[in-house]
């Protein structure tokens, strides 16, 4: 089971600060002693994700709100599926509605996208990776969603892994210099190098890179890269990759395919919160 990140509380606190601020002026019209019941429905097929953020929204607003879930994060649902039921003070329900749904819609969209990519690679032995192309401030949340959807997380940020890209190579002087310096400064940390052709691949292999990112390689060059590399390094294909081309790329023998679109090009899942009684 994928574990939610430790950022949930802070994510929700920031979201409520920008949405509710000093108070919900419209919700103040509802008597404080009035209770309500509501349901959340998915209007389209999706992979559900975001329960911890949804729950935390109402916990921070009003612990008296009770939520009963019918699904778990990572579950596939059809359209018109009942996701959860809520009951509690009516003014708290209406105040938290948009903030809670924003998290649930975005993260379900990310998980749904990841699932579609993971399904396209099922049985190939190649894994789909996310990238750092995430919504600012919600990287841990979106990477959790990717995992819920069956994808694999790449590095969280610049602090937990080394990925030497074109600008690093230019500044360091060469692939060899960049890899050698990385190994000296951070022994034991995996070193990945982005290359743009087979000659750069050969240099990265000779320098001792652990993972090599093959940027915008043609299928025949991906195959050649696998043959040249053997078991000396793991290979990751990336760059303008469309979902319909995943199977062909996997057939070249690469270990990973990284796709920024999983987290960058998501469209919020259509969810609806409906009041049944106030």
């Amino acid at each position: 089971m994928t574990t939610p990140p430790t950022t949930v509380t802070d994510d929700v606190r920031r979201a409520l600060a920008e949405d509710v601020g000093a108070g919900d002026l419209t919700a103040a019209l509802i008597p404080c002693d009035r209770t309500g019941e509501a349901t959340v429905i998915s209007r389209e097929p999706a992979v559900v994700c975001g329960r911890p953020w949804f729950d935390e929204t109402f916990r921070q607003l009003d612990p008296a709100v009770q939520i009963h879930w019918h699904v778990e994060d990572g579950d596939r649902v059809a359209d018109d599926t009942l996701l959860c039921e809520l009951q509690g003070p009516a003014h708290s329900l209406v105040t938290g509605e948009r903030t809670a749904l924003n998290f649930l819609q975005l993260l379900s969209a990310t998980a749904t996208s990841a699932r579609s990519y993971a399904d396209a690679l099922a049985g190939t032995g190649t894994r789909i990776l996310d990238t750092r192309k995430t919504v600012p401030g919600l990287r841990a949340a979106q990477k959790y969603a990717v995992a819920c959807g069956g994808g694999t997380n790449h590095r969280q940020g610049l602090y937990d892994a080394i990925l030497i890209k074109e600008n690093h190579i230019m500044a360091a002087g060469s692939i060899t210099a960049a890899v050698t310096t990385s190994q000296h400064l951070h022994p034991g940390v995996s070193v990945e190098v982005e290359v743009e052709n087979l000659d750069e691949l050969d240099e990265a292999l000779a320098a001792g890179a652990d993972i090599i990112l093959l940027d915008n390689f043609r299928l025949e060059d991906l195959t050649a890269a696998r043959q040249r590399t053997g078991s000396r390094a793991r290979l990751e294909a990336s760059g303008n990759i469309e979902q319909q081309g995943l199977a062909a790329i996997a057939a070249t023998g690469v270990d990973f395919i990284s796709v920024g679109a999983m987290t960058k090009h998501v469209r919020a899942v259509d969810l609806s919160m409906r009041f049944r009684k106030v």
Side-chain angles (χ1 to χ4, degrees):
M1 181 65 181
T2 303
T3 303
T6 59
T7 59
V8 174
T9 300
D10 289 338
D11 291 344
V12 171
R13 184 179 294 114
R14 291 195 309 270
L16 288 174
E18 70 180 5
D19 204 22
V20 181
D24 183 348
L25 302 183
T26 311
L29 305 175
I30 303 171
C32 292
D33 60 351
R34 185 161 296 172
T35 60
E37 296 178 359
T39 59
V40 176
I41 306 290
S42 178
R43 294 183 179 270
E44 61 182 314
V47 175
V48 176
C49 186
R51 275 186 47 169
W53 289 263
F54 190 97
D55 291 346
E56 180 65 14
T57 297
F58 289 103
R59 188 197 69 78
Q60 289 190 24
L61 277 174
D62 190 343
V65 173
Q66 298 180 5
I67 306 171
H68 175 64
W69 286 93
H70 295 272
V71 295
E72 301 286 344
D73 277 357
D75 285 354
R76 298 182 194 239
V77 299
D79 55 331
D80 294 324
T81 296
L82 173 63
L83 304 185
C84 67
E85 299 171 275
L86 304 90
Q87 61 183 114
H91 65 90
S92 297
L93 293 177
V94 297
T95 296
E97 174 185 1
R98 177 45 47 204
T99 303
L101 286 180
N102 281 348
F103 282 116
L104 199 62
Q105 289 177 311
L106 171 68
L107 298 182
S108 293
T110 304
T112 302
S113 176
R115 175 50 62 191
S116 67
Y117 281 96
D119 285 349
L121 289 175
T124 67
T126 300
R127 288 186 287 168
I128 193 73
L129 296 178
D130 56 23
T131 70
R132 292 192 297 124
K133 297 175 182 178
T134 54
V135 175
L138 291 177
R139 175 166 300 159
Q142 281 198 285
K143 283 182 172 286
Y144 167 79
V146 166
C148 285
T152 300
N153 295 148
H154 206 297
R155 57 180 179 162
Q156 286 290 323
L158 299 174
Y159 53 85
D160 62 337
I162 296 170
L163 174 49
I164 300 168
K165 300 173 73 71
E166 179 183 11
N167 288 336
H168 300 105
I169 294 168
M170 290 291 294
S174 68
I175 289 173
T176 301
V179 172
T180 301
T181 302
S182 295
Q183 293 169 335
H184 173 71
L185 292 175
H186 306 287
V189 176
S190 178
V191 176
E192 181 171 5
V193 180
E194 178 185 71
V195 302
E196 298 180 350
N197 54 59
L198 292 172
D199 288 339
E200 290 184 351
L201 168 72
D202 289 338
E203 183 179 356
L205 288 171
D210 301 293
I211 307 171
I212 301 176
L213 189 157
L214 309 171
D215 183 38
N216 285 298
F217 272 44
R218 297 174 299 175
L219 288 176
E220 56 266 36
D221 290 332
L222 290 173
T223 300
R226 179 77 279 170
Q227 293 170 345
R228 291 191 187 197
T229 301
S231 60
R232 288 185 289 170
R234 290 173 290 172
L235 298 180
E236 172 187 338
S238 187
N240 299 311
I241 293 174
E242 302 291 340
Q243 192 165 331
Q244 60 267 28
L246 290 176
I249 294 173
T252 67
V254 296
D255 301 282
F256 309 107
I257 300 174
S258 56
V259 178
M262 279 196 300
T263 51
K264 186 178 65 167
H265 294 163
V266 295
R267 177 189 60 79
V269 171
D270 189 4
L271 304 178
S272 174
M273 184 169 167
R274 301 173 180 172
F275 280 80
R276 297 188 303 194
K277 181 176 68 174
V278 176

